[in-house]
């Protein structure tokens, strides 16, 4: 078929591409496909994203557009593409131009990318990079952790301290080279190097030395992309226990790195979706079900283990020499403190825990812990969002410009509003100590500078004592307080593009309610702006306040006292055998006299109570240990459940606790009780969702809150509700725990601002009806 004259006619187009298009090899990719399609012009990085100018036929332009999406680099993400026809300039070739900075607009920053297979091959064949542990290219390597400013050029990263040698510079300037404009490019002659603190170990021998130390049962501190890690042999119980002791991490499970998929599959169940995530460029920690456990102290009695594959060259180099195929790979910090990034400032922590400290001489600008996720109901479910994911944005349908969302206290993270995007920070941690708050403040200030945010509105949690709220108040701008569980639901709505009334089920541990009590078992009818609380658990006192999170038996006693009075004492239930009679009496007195016993309807405390009552977790060694052990104990074939009542919007659990006590006295196993309890929660979700649909006609159900990190609850909730015709929405891009709450605060603030603007416009129209 002959082409028309219009198709043959030369035109010029300017393409503005926004998204994750810097630091991912996008300009060389554009250069290649432009030349392949016979186009002339140029491509450049700028703080708007990537701009391309092309001259050619309309048919060539169409082919270029197709290739732009079909062949883009794996880590690239095109969010917006605007194309306009321009005047022809008469270019004779296609070039990559120098980066420009045009305005206060920003492009996105790439997360760090795991080392690619081509660079691993180069480790063995490129003379100037043989066994060089910082090898990278345009498709892989550090990004977010080294960037200080935009646009993403070497001068704006911590690699600016390393001047390229002639060989690396030739690669950097060669458009046909894989390292063309790879900002961290370096080699053995000109790049960063590893050293061992206070030890004389040759650089080339460091991977072999690390392997030898680990095989010998020693603990090693190793500087990674976003901070230090502590490493030891995952099979040597004595080494793992010693690491726990030195790190002050008594019970929390530890992540494990293994060399390859074959090794992982020998000891863990790995499904196709899990395999895909494990081997992805993001390289998160993935929670896998145990097949043949490692040292008992690694997972500490839980049925899953957090597994990751190597993502830095030195990880592969270590495994070349290691005899073991599994190493504990946990954050290089003391319990509840931020991960250490500086070997000089953090030397006391590193040497307190590790027998050997291995570091390199490039600065880490942005801390980033390893991300953690699980696969549930066919999708990734983030538990900790950091390396490999941050600071990738969540797209909005609302204008978020100028909004700062502070987040909560546990699993701290904040969010910035830019245009129609929410840019979430990396995982910060629990804002309960000065070190973590300093990290939070540092990260927030850096994000505001990096992404050119001039905040005009801040969204914070209702709780007056959260340090995240203190930071937002220090900005001196308008503040919107957002109820904790409304923010949870709004977070899930935002990432799923919902802007309408929904049935929201928010189950978590704690969050201040409108009435001044602790909420956490919410059944809302809500949209982004407003909510109506329809159902919740009947509140119980928490004797000792926050102390109940470390001693779940206290909450169990409170539930038993509420529904059975003191008659439960005579039953001599086994879980109280470790509690002294005097302590029990003090707790009962606190409940009766309402002394330091705030009321709570939080679902997390209910799970704590049942875990304690069954003896699975009477004392808790880390956050959420009790619910985790309760889930781990479930007998999967059990379909039975307990009973409950709902009176005037309150969920009454008298029957549930009487039946649990009955099962305990009859010697029923804890796993059976755990299964029946979880099935009761599932029945409750379905029952109340049906009631709310009948009343409101709303068919969309949104699930959020830390309780939905429970895989059994999440998967079965979705399945049961979908079987009844509900449209069910859950988290995929951000955690359902408090690590995702800033996204919800941002959404609520944006919706309330939109509502306020509409009301002001309506008022103006009413005052001046002739105004057009």
């Amino acid at each position: 078929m002959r082409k028309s004259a219009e198709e043959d006619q030369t035109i010029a187009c300017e393409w503005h591409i926004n998204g994750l298009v810097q630091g991912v090899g996008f300009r060389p990719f554009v250069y290649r496909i432009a030349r392949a399609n016979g186009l002339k012009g140029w491509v450049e990085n700028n703080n708007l994203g990537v701009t391309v100018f092309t001259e050619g036929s309309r048919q060539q332009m169409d082919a270029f557009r197709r290739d732009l999406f079909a062949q883009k680099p794996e880590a690239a993400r095109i969010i917006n593409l605007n194309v306009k026809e321009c005047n022809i300039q008469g270019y004779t070739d296609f070039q990559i131009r120098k980066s420009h900075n045009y305005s206060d607009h920003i492009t996105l920053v790439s997360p760090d990318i795991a080392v690619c297979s081509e660079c691993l091959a180069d480790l063995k064949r490129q003379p100037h990079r043989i066994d060089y542990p910082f090898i990278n290219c345009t498709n892989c390597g550090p990004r977010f952790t080294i960037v200080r400013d935009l646009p993403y050029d070497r001068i704006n990263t911590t690699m600016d301290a390393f001047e390229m040698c002639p060989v690396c510079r030739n690669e950097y300037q060669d458009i046909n080279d894989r390292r063309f404009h790879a900002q961290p490019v370096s080699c053995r002659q000109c790049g960063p190097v590893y050293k061992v603190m206070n030890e004389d170990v040759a650089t080339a021998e460091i991977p072999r030395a690390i392997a030898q130390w680990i095989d010998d049962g020693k603990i090693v501190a190793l500087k990674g992309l976003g901070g230090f890690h502590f490493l030891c042999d995952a099979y040597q119980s004595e080494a793992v226990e010693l690491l726990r002791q030195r790190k002050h991490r008594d019970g929390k499970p530890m992540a494990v790195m293994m060399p390859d998929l074959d090794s992982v599959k020998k000891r863990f169940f790995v499904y196709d979706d899990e395999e895909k995530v494990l081997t992805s460029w993001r390289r998160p920690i993935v929670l896998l079900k145990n097949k043949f456990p490692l040292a008992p102290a690694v997972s500490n009695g839980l049925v899953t283990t957090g597994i990751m594959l190597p993502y830095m060259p030195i990880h592969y180099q270590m495994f070349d020499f290691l005899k073991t195929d599994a190493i504990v790979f946990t954050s290089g910090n003391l319990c509840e403190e931020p991960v250490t990034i500086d070997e000089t400032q953090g030397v006391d922590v590193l040497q307190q825990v590790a027998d050997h400290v291995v570091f390199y001489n490039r600065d880490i600008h942005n801390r980033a812990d390893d991300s953690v996720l699980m696969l549930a109901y066919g999708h990734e479910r983030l538990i900790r969002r950091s390396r490999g994911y941050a600071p990738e944005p969540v797209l909005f349908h609302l204008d978020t410009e100028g909004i700062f969302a502070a987040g909560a206290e546990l699993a701290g993270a904040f969010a910035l509003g830019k245009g129609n995007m929410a840019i979430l920070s990396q995982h910060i941690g629990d804002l309960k100590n000065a070190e973590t708050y300093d990290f939070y403040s540092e990260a927030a200030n850096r994000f505001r500078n990096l992404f050119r945010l001039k905040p005009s509105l801040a969204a914070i949690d209702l709780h007056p004592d959260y340090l995240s709220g203190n930071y937002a108040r220090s900005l001196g701008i308008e503040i919107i307080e957002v109820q904790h569980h409304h923010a949870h639901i709004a977070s899930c709505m935002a990432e799923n593009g919902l802007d309408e009334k929904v049935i929201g089920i928010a189950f978590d541990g704690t969050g201040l309610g409108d009435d001044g009590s602790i909420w956490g078992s919410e059944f809302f009818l809500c949209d982004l702006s407003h909510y109506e609380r329809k159902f919740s658990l009947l509140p119980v006192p928490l004797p000792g306040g926050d102390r109940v999170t470390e001693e779940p038996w206290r909450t169990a006693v409170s539930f038993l006292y509420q529904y059975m009075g003191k008659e439960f004492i005579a039953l001599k239930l086994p879980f109280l055998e470790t509690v002294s009679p005097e302590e029990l009496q003090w707790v009962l007195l606190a409940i009766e006299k309402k002394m330091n016993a705030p009321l709570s309807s939080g679902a997390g405390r209910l799970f704590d109570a049942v875990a304690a009552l069954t003896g699975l977790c009477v004392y808790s060694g880390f956050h959420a240990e009790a619910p985790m052990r309760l889930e781990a104990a479930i007998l999967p074939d059990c379909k039975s459940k307990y009973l409950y009542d709902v009176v005037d919007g309150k969920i009454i659990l008298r029957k549930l606790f009487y039946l649990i006590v009955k099962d305990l006295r009859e010697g029923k196993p804890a796993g059976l009780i755990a299964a029946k309890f979880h099935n009761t929660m599932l029945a409750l979700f379905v029952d109340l969702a049906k009631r709310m649909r009948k009343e409101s006609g709303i068919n969309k159900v949104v699930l959020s809150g830390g309780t939905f990190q429970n895989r059994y609850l999440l998967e079965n909730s979705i399945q049961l509700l979908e079987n009844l015709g509900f449209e069910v929405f859950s988290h995929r891009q951000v955690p359902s725990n408090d690590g995702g709450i800033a996204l919800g605060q941002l959404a609520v603030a944006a919706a309330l601002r939109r509502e306020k603007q509409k009301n002001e416009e309506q008022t103006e129209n009413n005052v001046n009806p002739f105004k057009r």
Side-chain angles (χ1 to χ4, degrees):
M1 182 181 293
R2 295 180 60 188
K3 292 185 289 186
S4 67
E6 184 179 352
E7 287 178 315
D8 277 332
Q9 182 181 358
T10 297
I11 60 172
C13 291
E14 189 169 272
W15 311 64
H16 293 285
I17 307 167
N18 187 257
L20 191 50
V21 290
Q22 290 190 18
V24 291
F26 202 81
R27 282 182 301 170
F29 156 69
V30 168
Y31 175 89
R32 289 193 298 272
I33 64 169
R35 294 194 55 160
N37 285 292
L39 295 172
K40 315 297 182 186
W42 49 263
V43 57
E44 72 170 21
N45 270 353
N46 52 60
N47 56 332
L48 302 173
V50 168
T51 302
V52 187
F53 184 89
T54 55
E55 293 179 349
S57 70
R58 198 170 299 278
Q59 188 177 44
Q60 289 172 314
M61 300 289 184
D62 290 342
F64 175 77
R65 179 193 285 265
R66 285 194 301 271
D67 291 345
L68 198 62
F69 287 92
Q71 300 177 27
K72 65 180 176 61
E74 185 181 14
R77 180 184 177 195
I78 298 174
I79 292 177
N80 291 308
L81 171 63
N82 294 309
V83 186
K84 64 178 182 180
E85 291 197 21
C86 312
N87 294 328
I88 295 173
Q89 302 296 315
Y91 288 98
T92 58
D93 61 5
F94 196 90
Q95 300 177 346
I96 294 182
R97 302 208 315 192
K98 186 179 178 181
S99 299
H100 285 85
N101 202 341
Y102 292 120
S103 67
D104 282 341
H105 288 86
I106 57 99
T107 188
L108 302 181
V109 175
S110 168
D112 298 280
I113 305 171
V115 61
C116 67
S117 58
E118 291 175 290
C119 279
L120 289 175
D122 287 347
L123 271 179
K124 305 300 181 185
R125 66 190 181 198
Q126 280 195 333
H128 56 306
R129 292 198 180 90
I130 294 293
D131 294 333
Y132 180 59
F134 296 94
I135 193 168
N136 66 84
C137 68
T138 55
N139 301 318
C140 70
R143 299 292 190 269
F144 169 63
T145 52
I146 64 171
V147 71
R148 291 189 300 234
D149 201 358
L150 293 174
Y152 175 70
D153 287 323
R154 192 181 183 101
I155 195 172
N156 291 325
T157 74
T158 59
M159 281 298 296
D160 68 339
F162 301 92
E163 184 176 350
M164 282 182 272
C165 68
V167 176
C168 286
R169 183 164 296 281
N170 286 339
E171 294 171 328
Y172 182 85
Q173 295 174 341
D174 183 356
I175 184 61
N176 296 310
D177 195 286
R178 205 175 75 253
R179 293 181 175 86
F180 176 76
H181 280 221
Q183 305 308 331
V185 67
S186 61
C187 71
R188 289 188 287 112
Q189 306 303 318
C190 63
V193 293
Y194 270 106
K195 296 180 181 179
V196 182
M197 187 175 291
N198 300 327
E199 296 184 56
D200 186 16
V201 181
T203 300
E205 292 300 313
I206 287 177
R208 186 190 300 272
I210 294 172
Q212 186 63 60
W213 293 328
I214 291 173
D215 286 332
D216 288 344
K218 302 297 184 181
I219 298 169
V220 177
L222 176 65
K223 190 173 181 179
L225 283 176
F228 276 86
H229 293 92
F230 293 131
L231 285 57
C232 72
D233 188 341
Y235 294 103
Q236 296 189 39
S237 294
E238 188 175 333
V240 179
E241 293 283 6
L242 184 60
L243 176 53
R244 284 195 178 282
Q245 178 186 332
R246 291 179 179 177
K247 188 174 157 68
H248 304 157
R249 183 169 174 155
D250 292 338
K252 194 173 182 180
M254 291 182 169
V256 171
M257 179 177 282
M258 302 186 79
D260 49 48
L261 268 175
D262 289 340
S263 300
V264 175
K265 289 178 178 179
K266 289 176 183 176
R267 291 198 164 267
F268 301 93
F269 295 99
V270 184
Y271 299 99
D272 289 346
D273 289 341
E274 292 168 332
E275 180 175 325
K276 184 177 179 181
V277 177
L278 275 170
T279 57
S280 72
W281 62 268
R282 300 183 191 272
R283 291 295 161 92
I285 297 168
V286 181
L287 298 184
L288 301 178
K289 291 183 179 178
N290 301 336
K291 187 187 296 182
F292 302 108
L294 305 167
V298 172
S299 296
N300 217 8
L302 297 175
V303 297
T304 59
T305 303
I307 300 297
M308 71 174 96
L309 293 178
Y311 56 85
M312 292 179 71
I314 197 165
H315 300 157
Y316 288 92
Q317 291 174 302
M318 288 187 313
F319 278 111
D320 283 343
F321 299 105
L322 277 163
K323 296 175 183 176
T324 181
D325 66 353
I327 54 175
V328 168
F329 208 84
T330 189
S331 298
N333 59 346
L334 296 182
C335 189
E336 305 304 333
E337 293 184 3
V339 62
T340 303
I341 61 171
D342 189 310
E343 58 277 1
T344 56
Q345 294 180 4
V347 63
D348 291 341
V349 170
L350 298 173
Q351 293 188 327
Q352 176 182 334
V353 177
D355 300 302
H356 306 274
V357 178
V358 182
F359 65 97
Y360 56 79
N361 58 338
R362 181 182 69 207
D363 288 342
I364 296 172
H365 190 68
N366 298 301
R367 278 183 178 90
D369 281 287
D370 295 312
S371 296
V372 183
L373 60 80
M374 67 177 181
L375 274 289
Y377 211 68
H379 296 285
E380 296 179 32
R381 313 290 179 170
L382 281 160
I383 295 169
R384 185 169 72 196
R385 187 180 188 272
S386 201
R387 179 192 53 78
Y389 291 84
E392 191 172 346
V394 175
L395 295 185
F396 258 67
H397 56 280
L398 294 174
D399 175 20
T400 67
E401 186 66 40
I403 301 176
F404 175 83
E409 182 176 67
L410 295 177
F414 56 83
L416 311 182
K418 290 294 293 185
N420 65 338
M421 297 185 298
I423 302 173
L424 273 73
S425 76
Q426 70 273 48
H427 168 79
I428 304 292
D430 297 346
L431 302 182
K432 289 185 175 181
N433 58 55
E435 293 86 358
T436 309
Y437 181 64
D438 287 346
F439 172 25
Y440 177 96
S441 302
E442 173 190 82
N445 292 336
R446 287 179 175 179
F447 265 62
R448 287 166 52 204
N449 176 65
L450 182 64
F451 295 109
R452 316 290 199 270
L453 180 76
K454 298 175 181 176
S456 57
L457 178 63
I460 66 174
D461 194 273
L462 278 181
H463 201 296
D465 297 331
Y466 281 0
L467 293 178
S468 56
N470 289 351
Y471 176 86
R473 293 185 191 95
S474 74
L475 299 177
I477 56 178
E478 181 185 352
I479 297 289
I480 290 178
E481 293 183 340
V482 182
Q483 200 281 323
H484 189 90
H485 303 96
H486 185 210
H488 268 307
I489 298 301
S491 173
C492 190
M493 291 176 67
E495 70 163 272
N496 283 286
L498 298 176
D499 189 8
E500 60 195 276
K501 274 203 168 184
V502 300
I503 297 168
I505 303 177
F507 263 47
D508 74 349
T510 183
L512 187 63
D514 296 339
D515 58 5
S517 71
I518 301 168
W519 289 7
S521 55
E522 310 312 310
F523 291 81
F524 286 160
L525 282 179
C526 64
D527 55 22
L528 291 176
S529 304
H530 306 283
Y531 63 93
E532 181 183 0
R533 193 187 196 200
K534 304 299 290 186
F535 301 100
S536 60
L537 290 173
L538 183 70
V540 298
L542 300 181
D546 287 344
R547 195 170 171 184
V548 299
T549 60
E550 299 174 358
E551 301 179 14
W553 68 266
R554 291 170 174 262
T555 313
V557 166
S558 188
F559 272 103
L560 291 174
Y561 181 81
Q562 174 161 282
Y563 291 125
M564 303 176 72
K566 288 187 176 180
E567 70 177 74
F568 77 88
I569 300 174
L571 301 177
K572 296 185 177 180
L573 296 169
F575 83 99
L576 289 174
E577 290 175 358
T578 58
V579 179
S580 70
E582 294 78 17
E583 201 167 12
L584 177 58
Q585 289 306 315
W586 274 112
V587 165
L588 291 171
L589 183 64
I591 294 171
E592 291 170 349
K593 301 296 184 181
K594 300 179 181 178
M595 300 184 303
N596 190 25
L599 289 175
S600 169
S601 55
R605 303 294 76 80
L606 170 62
F607 282 71
D608 285 355
V610 177
L613 192 55
T614 54
L616 291 167
C617 187
V618 179
Y619 294 90
S620 178
F622 58 90
H623 174 67
E625 178 180 4
M628 290 168 68
R629 296 204 179 282
L630 190 64
E631 179 190 3
I634 293 172
L635 296 180
D637 295 333
C638 173
K639 303 302 178 186
S640 302
K641 58 182 181 291
Y642 296 118
L643 302 174
Y644 60 87
D645 294 298
V646 181
V647 180
D648 296 330
K650 295 300 178 186
I651 302 159
I652 313 296
L653 299 178
R654 177 176 285 104
K655 293 175 181 176
L656 179 142
F657 277 96
Y658 266 97
L659 292 169
I660 288 177
V661 169
K662 180 175 180 290
D663 278 350
L664 284 169
R665 299 193 72 198
E666 291 176 357
K668 300 290 176 61
L672 178 68
I673 296 170
K676 291 169 74 173
F677 169 74
H678 279 83
N679 292 341
T680 308
M681 294 299 101
L682 293 170
L684 184 67
F685 298 157
V686 169
D687 175 20
L688 298 187
K690 286 167 63 178
R691 297 191 198 194
M692 293 169 74
R693 178 169 65 180
K694 184 176 181 180
E695 175 191 338
S696 65
I698 294 170
N699 196 51
K700 292 182 178 178
V701 178
V702 173
L703 308 175
S704 189
T707 300
F708 287 105
Q709 290 175 170
N710 182 314
R711 196 189 321 234
Y712 184 89
L713 274 185
L714 178 62
E715 290 186 331
N716 285 286
S717 296
I718 296 172
Q719 185 173 4
L720 289 169
L721 289 166
E722 286 184 345
N723 288 346
L724 291 170
F726 286 98
E727 290 183 73
V728 185
F729 299 88
S730 53
H731 289 277
R732 300 179 190 177
Q733 298 183 59
V734 301
S736 64
N737 61 36
D738 285 5
I741 211 165
L743 176 61
Q745 293 171 340
L746 192 73
V748 172
L752 288 172
R753 183 172 67 180
R754 177 185 62 182
E755 186 177 277
K756 180 181 178 182
Q757 290 169 345
K758 285 184 178 179
N759 290 338
E760 289 173 348
E761 290 172 4
Q762 184 63 47
T763 300
E764 176 66 20
N765 290 336
N766 290 339
V767 171
N768 185 2
F770 299 103
K771 185 177 179 180
R772 290 289 184 269

